[in-house]
Amino acid sequence: MAFREVAVTEIREVLRAWLSGAGLRQVAAQAGVDRKTARRYVQAAVEAGLAREAGAGQLSDELVGQVAEAVRPVRPGGHGLAWEQLEACQEQIAGQVKAGLSVVKIGVLLERQGVVVPYRTLHRFCVERCGFGRTAATVRVADGEPGVECQLDFGYLGMLADPVTGRQRKVHALIFTACYSRHMFVWLSFTQTLGAFVAGCEAAWVFFGGVFKVLIPDNASAIVADADAVNPRFTAGWLDYAQHCGFATDAARVRSPKDKPKVERAVQYVRGNFFAGEHFTGLCDAQAASEAWCRQMAGMRIHGTTCARPAEVFAEHEAGVLLPLSLPYDVPVFTRVKVHRDFHVEVGRALYSAPKEYLGCHLDARADSALVKLFHRGQLVKTHPRQQPGRRATDPADLPAEKTIYAMRDVASLARSARRHGDAVGVYAERLLDTDLPWTKMRQVYRLLGLARRYGPGPVDTACQRALDLDVINVTKIASMLEKATENTPPPPRPAAAATARFARDPAEYRPAGTQLTLIEGREAGR
């Protein structure tokens, strides 16, 4: 039989009705109890000295207490025999509860020991005596000053068509809830990246007309790099955006929804009141509808806690104390890169040169749509214009001096370097590079400079001068002259006849064809 606590007012009402002269059926109906219960109350009162003809003045607290004591079931402490059996096993049951066993499993184990009790009794015992299902007490946190705190959280809404892929995708809502006014803004996104957070924040600041001083997000990987209850470490991208806008971040603890309860409860409200049952053509259509819903529905409802309209409270107390809007934020890419053997780093599939003294080191890169900045231990060491994927930005000053000319295909500097070994060497190098594609002849000039380092500038300059006099532009000839040491040997004199004669053959060979035929016939006749 279930145990029910006896109410003093119930006993008093039964006895008062009985003293008025009514029968037990009418007394039970008037007091709202069973007729048998009314009979027990009356019998216990009569035994305690209640007289029907003495009137209602007899109903003292002492008399009612005696009646309650008489009709109360005989249970020490309000519990029966099953409870006493469980008390004998309390230490064992407490250990099983602490180990995470369910009440059903604990009941099975007790039955094996011969302790058979009703499930409801066992459940009450586990809750009251062993801490099963007991939650810690909670307190209501003050809302804080107007315009200071704003809680935000990503919540899953449902499926929505993606016009790019043509498929259904999961859509999430980034919900902003002002702690003081409960005014909210909803930003829809298919992803939960840093770009999605920043885009949502930028849209929220425009919606609110300013920036809140403190944001309370969860531990999303785009915001928190290393979660900690006291000192969380935020990602470089989020810190850069917070510095740009001027707000502080107070991230909630891991798996602690009570740290941001105002926005946690709003997720269900947005899913059920805004998204459920609606049909949107795409993300843009749903986003426009969500902003209208935030202004007209969520903002103008009577909030259950504040008993006021959030939009009106926000306009009156918070709108004027928000931080001013900042310039549009250019979402950067933060990465750690290594300076490779070619003195370049790769950022966003493009190459950027770094100073030669950082060869082999790791640098921190920040790349937005306009600039790429390279940092070493917090110091800015290089800045480049942002390049498209596959392109390259190289500063000649970043390369070693002996490799700059070759790497940059600087033919003019190469010619000047050759002229330092002699005027003839410089002119010879310029003649080598005097083509439509001068960089294709750079290796020949490098060979010429190598000959100057091997044989000295003087012999090479002399050999180049002799080759220029003969109009011979060939580095191999210069190398042969230097190898045979013939750069100072004068050229052999030309024959005297060579100056007047046009041809070196016998003039008879150039007679008319008929004359040659007669000579041939004469020779044959002589034979």
Side-chain angles (χ1 to χ4, degrees):
M1 180 179 66
F3 173 78
R4 186 174 70 88
E5 189 73 25
V6 177
V8 174
T9 55
E10 180 181 284
I11 298 175
R12 191 183 298 274
E13 183 64 22
V14 169
L15 298 180
R16 189 177 65 84
W18 181 74
L19 289 175
S20 65
L24 288 178
R25 185 183 299 274
Q26 184 178 354
V27 168
Q30 182 175 339
V33 298
D34 185 77
R35 187 171 56 180
K36 295 180 180 180
T37 301
R39 180 182 293 111
R40 290 202 307 272
Y41 291 168
V42 172
Q43 290 177 354
V46 171
E47 294 176 0
L50 180 67
R52 198 168 195 178
E53 61 277 3
Q58 307 172 80
L59 299 180
S60 63
D61 292 338
E62 291 76 9
L63 178 64
V64 174
Q66 294 178 13
V67 174
E69 183 67 23
V71 301
R72 183 190 303 272
V74 183
R75 292 184 176 182
H79 299 290
L81 180 61
W83 191 275
E84 294 178 0
Q85 292 179 304
L86 295 175
E87 285 181 338
C89 307
Q90 180 173 348
E91 185 177 352
Q92 172 189 343
I93 298 174
Q96 294 170 341
V97 169
K98 187 176 181 180
L101 274 66
S102 65
V103 176
V104 175
K105 183 62 177 179
I106 294 174
V108 172
L109 297 178
L110 290 175
E111 289 181 3
R112 294 177 184 175
Q113 301 175 7
V115 181
V116 180
V117 296
Y119 172 80
R120 294 300 305 168
T121 303
L122 176 60
H123 186 274
R124 287 197 307 271
F125 184 85
C126 292
V127 171
E128 295 181 16
R129 298 293 182 87
C130 303
F132 178 80
R134 185 175 298 169
T135 58
T138 184
V139 295
R140 186 177 295 276
V141 180
D143 293 336
E145 299 295 327
V148 176
E149 294 181 345
C150 180
Q151 299 178 1
L152 63 152
D153 189 21
F154 255 116
Y156 170 71
L157 294 186
M159 304 297 292
L160 194 64
D162 186 358
V164 178
T165 61
R167 297 182 299 177
Q168 294 287 323
R169 295 184 60 182
K170 291 183 178 181
V171 61
H172 296 81
L174 179 59
I175 305 173
F176 297 77
T177 302
C179 293
Y180 184 84
S181 64
R182 306 303 200 276
H183 197 25
M184 68 169 55
F185 173 75
V186 178
W187 175 259
L188 305 181
S189 174
F190 288 130
T191 62
Q192 299 185 33
T193 60
L194 176 63
F197 273 98
V198 171
C201 289
E202 292 288 280
W205 307 150
V206 175
F207 177 84
F208 290 121
V211 180
F212 287 86
K213 298 179 180 63
V214 179
L215 290 189
I216 306 176
D218 58 7
N219 286 269
S221 59
I223 296 178
V224 180
D226 186 12
D228 186 85
V230 179
N231 296 312
R233 184 171 60 87
F234 301 102
T235 60
W238 181 256
L239 284 178
D240 188 80
Y241 179 65
Q243 295 165 8
H244 172 80
C245 296
F247 62 80
T249 306
D250 183 18
R253 294 168 295 177
V254 177
R255 292 184 295 275
S256 299
K258 291 182 179 180
D259 288 354
K260 46 183 180 62
K262 299 175 179 64
V263 73
E264 286 286 346
R265 187 60 179 171
V267 174
Q268 301 178 16
Y269 176 60
V270 173
R271 184 188 301 118
N273 193 287
F274 162 66
F275 194 81
E278 300 289 344
H279 299 280
F280 303 106
T281 59
L283 194 63
C284 295
D285 180 34
Q287 183 59 47
S290 70
E291 295 187 19
W293 178 83
C294 290
R295 297 182 188 276
Q296 301 169 10
M297 178 64 69
M300 299 306 295
R301 76 191 191 281
I302 300 298
H303 195 275
T305 302
T306 63
C307 298
R309 302 183 189 277
E312 295 178 354
V313 177
F314 174 81
E316 181 179 356
H317 298 283
E318 293 194 290
V321 296
L322 297 179
L323 298 176
L325 290 173
S326 57
L327 296 175
Y329 182 68
D330 188 0
V331 182
V333 175
F334 291 88
T335 183
R336 188 164 179 81
V337 295
K338 181 180 179 180
V339 183
H340 294 283
R341 295 177 59 188
D342 59 355
F343 302 94
H344 285 73
V345 299
E346 181 180 353
V347 179
R349 299 172 60 189
L351 299 179
Y352 303 90
S353 65
K356 51 184 174 293
E357 55 267 24
Y358 298 104
L359 181 66
C361 298
H362 285 84
L363 305 180
D364 295 318
R366 181 191 186 276
D368 53 28
S369 61
L371 296 176
V372 173
K373 297 181 180 181
L374 303 179
F375 298 87
H376 182 257
R377 296 180 179 177
Q379 300 294 325
L380 179 65
V381 297
K382 199 65 184 179
T383 302
H384 287 285
R386 185 69 183 268
Q387 302 295 319
Q388 295 294 328
R391 304 298 298 274
R392 182 178 66 178
T394 304
D395 184 356
D398 295 336
L399 307 178
E402 66 276 8
K403 298 180 180 294
T404 303
I405 296 175
Y406 177 76
M408 302 304 297
R409 291 185 173 182
D410 191 354
V411 294
S413 297
L414 185 60
R416 289 193 299 269
S417 178
R419 187 172 290 276
R420 287 195 291 269
H421 296 282
D423 293 339
V425 178
V427 174
Y428 202 82
E430 292 176 355
R431 291 287 302 275
L432 288 171
L433 298 172
D434 187 18
T435 63
D436 294 335
L437 302 175
W439 56 85
T440 61
K441 302 297 182 180
M442 291 181 66
R443 285 195 295 271
Q444 297 189 25
V445 179
Y446 276 115
R447 186 183 182 189
L448 181 64
L449 297 179
L451 294 175
R453 290 191 297 271
R454 181 178 180 181
Y455 295 101
V460 176
D461 189 68
T462 302
C464 290
Q465 186 60 56
R466 286 194 56 188
L468 290 172
D469 293 341
L470 298 175
D471 197 23
V472 178
I473 309 302
N474 192 322
V475 180
T476 303
K477 294 295 184 180
I478 300 295
S480 178
M481 293 170 61
L482 294 171
E483 183 179 356
K484 297 177 181 179
T486 59
E487 68 276 4
N488 293 316
T489 302
R494 294 183 179 182
T500 57
R502 185 176 181 183
F503 301 102
R505 293 183 179 182
D506 186 357
E509 297 181 14
Y510 298 97
R511 290 177 181 176
T515 306
Q516 293 180 5
L517 182 60
T518 303
L519 293 175
I520 293 173
E521 292 176 351
R523 293 193 187 104
E524 292 178 353
R527 291 177 183 176

